[in-house]
């Protein structure tokens, strides 16, 4: 089955620790994305990557870092500099269909930092 | 720049009643429009999309949406609500050949028995 996997489903960390969220896709998509979801705020773009070894900041990149060493993988690190890291994190990937970059989403990781 | 406004953060309907979720967008270029559905603690699933061509778009689970350029709207409808439709719905926009989606804040649909 083709799709996007995110692990783990739930993650708990102490304040001050860095944590890395995994995102893997076997859809052969070129572009991958990380979003943060908070209640009542929709999805906000953290980082995106259109090609291996290249990525761009989204709207809320501060306190986050990413890498794209392989086409299939786009891990997100939430650093201790992120002031409010508790949220639901969604990874997505896309391929151009008729000029429209239709995005497919993973199941998400809920991060709780105390 | 694009933006999306979803009117009503919560909508409640009775089972069997019409579902209407409102979405208005702003875009300086022709938009591509999407509706996604999210069940609790899950990712987003594409319901339907408008790119070009027919302005009435049919999607999965009996949903449809109509692109109205003059009203800058893309409202989502379903003739008869089912309990399984209870979820959060997101409208999103991107320009043609754009690779970033801009999402609305979401509308939580509650279906009463």
């Amino acid at each position: 089955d083709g799709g996007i996997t995110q692990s783990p489903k739930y993650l708990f960390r102490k304040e001050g620790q860095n944590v890395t969220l995994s995102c893997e896709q076997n859809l052969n998509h070129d572009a991958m994305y990380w979003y943060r979801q908070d209640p009542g705020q929709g999805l906000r773009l953290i980082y995106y990557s259109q090609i291996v070894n290249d990525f761009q900041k989204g709207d809320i990149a501060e306190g986050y870092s990413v890498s794209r060493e392989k086409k299939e993988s786009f891990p997100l690190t939430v650093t201790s500099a992120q002031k409010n890291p508790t949220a639901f994190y969604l990874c997505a990937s896309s391929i151009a269909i008729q000029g429209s970059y239709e995005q497919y989403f993973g199941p998400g990781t809920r991060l709780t930092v105390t | 720049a694009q933006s999306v406004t979803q009117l009503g953060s919560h909508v409640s309907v009775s089972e069997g009643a019409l579902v209407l979720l409102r979405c208005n967008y702003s875009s300086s270029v022709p938009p591509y429009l999407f509706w996604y559905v999210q069940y609790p603690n899950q990712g987003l699933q594409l319901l339907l999309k408008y790119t070009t061509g027919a302005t009435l778009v049919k999607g999965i689970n009996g949903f449809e949406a109509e692109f109205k350029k003059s009203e800058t709207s893309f409202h989502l409808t379903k003739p008869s609500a089912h309990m399984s439709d209870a979820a959060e719905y997101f409208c999103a926009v991107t320009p043609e050949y754009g690779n970033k989606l801009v999402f609305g804040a979401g509308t939580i649909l509650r279906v009463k028995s």
Side-chain angles (χ1 to χ4, degrees), chain A residues 9-10 33 35 37 40-45 48 50 57-59 88 90 94 97-108 110, chain B residues 9 32 34 36 38-46 49-52 88 90 94-106:
Chain A
K9 180 70 174 174
Y10 298 94
Y33 309 80
Y35 294 91
Q37 184 177 17
Q41 297 192 48
L43 277 70
R44 293 182 289 169
L45 183 63
Y48 67 104
Q50 298 183 70
K57 293 181 178 180
D59 301 317
F88 190 51
L90 287 160
S94 72
I97 299 176
Q98 294 180 320
S100 161
Y101 285 74
E102 182 175 320
Q103 292 188 17
Y104 296 80
F105 284 81
R110 186 166 296 281
Chain B
S9 59
Y32 284 2
F34 304 80
Y36 284 86
Q38 184 183 35
Y39 298 100
N41 289 312
Q42 294 186 26
L44 275 66
Q45 179 184 7
L46 181 68
K49 64 179 180 181
Y50 168 79
T51 53
T52 58
E88 188 162 16
F90 292 94
T94 187
E96 185 178 10
Y97 300 110
N99 60 357
K100 290 196 295 181
L101 289 176
V102 174
F103 286 86

Side-chain angles (χ1 to χ4, degrees), chain B residues 16-69:
Chain B
L18 171 72
V19 175
L20 171 60
L21 304 182
R22 299 177 188 274
C23 172
N24 288 89
Y25 69 91
S26 68
S27 178
S28 57
V29 297
Y32 284 2
L33 295 155
F34 304 80
W35 275 101
Y36 284 86
V37 61
Q38 184 183 35
Y39 298 100
N41 289 312
Q42 294 186 26
L44 275 66
Q45 179 184 7
L46 181 68
L47 274 178
L48 50 79
K49 64 179 180 181
Y50 168 79
T51 53
T52 58
T55 56
L56 181 62
V57 180
K58 295 188 185 298
I60 62 171
N61 301 339
F63 285 94
E64 63 182 36
E66 186 171 9
F67 170 60
K68 292 187 176 181
K69 183 177 178 181

Side-chain angles (χ1 to χ4, degrees), chain A residues 5-113:
Chain A
T5 57
Q6 292 185 242
S7 60
K9 180 70 174 174
Y10 298 94
L11 193 52
F12 298 88
R13 282 293 183 270
K14 295 290 187 185
E15 194 173 324
Q17 294 179 333
N18 290 355
V19 58
T20 298
L21 283 59
S22 168
C23 177
E24 303 278 334
Q25 56 100 357
N26 61 3
L27 300 168
N28 199 33
H29 287 174
D30 291 310
M32 296 186 74
Y33 309 80
W34 273 105
Y35 294 91
R36 172 185 172 130
Q37 184 177 17
D38 297 281
Q41 297 192 48
L43 277 70
R44 293 182 289 169
L45 183 63
I46 304 172
Y47 269 98
Y48 67 104
S49 168
Q50 298 183 70
I51 196 169
V52 173
N53 292 322
D54 188 45
F55 47 83
Q56 288 78 41
K57 293 181 178 180
D59 301 317
I60 56 164
E62 185 175 350
Y64 300 97
S65 65
V66 294
S67 63
R68 186 86 186 277
E69 297 177 1
K70 299 185 300 182
K71 187 177 185 178
E72 302 80 17
S73 179
F74 191 41
L76 173 75
T77 296
V78 184
T79 74
S80 57
Q82 168 50 234
K83 291 181 172 34
N84 185 19
T86 294
F88 190 51
Y89 290 87
L90 287 160
C91 178
S93 69
S94 72
I95 190 169
I97 299 176
Q98 294 180 320
S100 161
Y101 285 74
E102 182 175 320
Q103 292 188 17
Y104 296 80
F105 284 81
T109 292
R110 186 166 296 281
L111 173 64
T112 302
V113 177

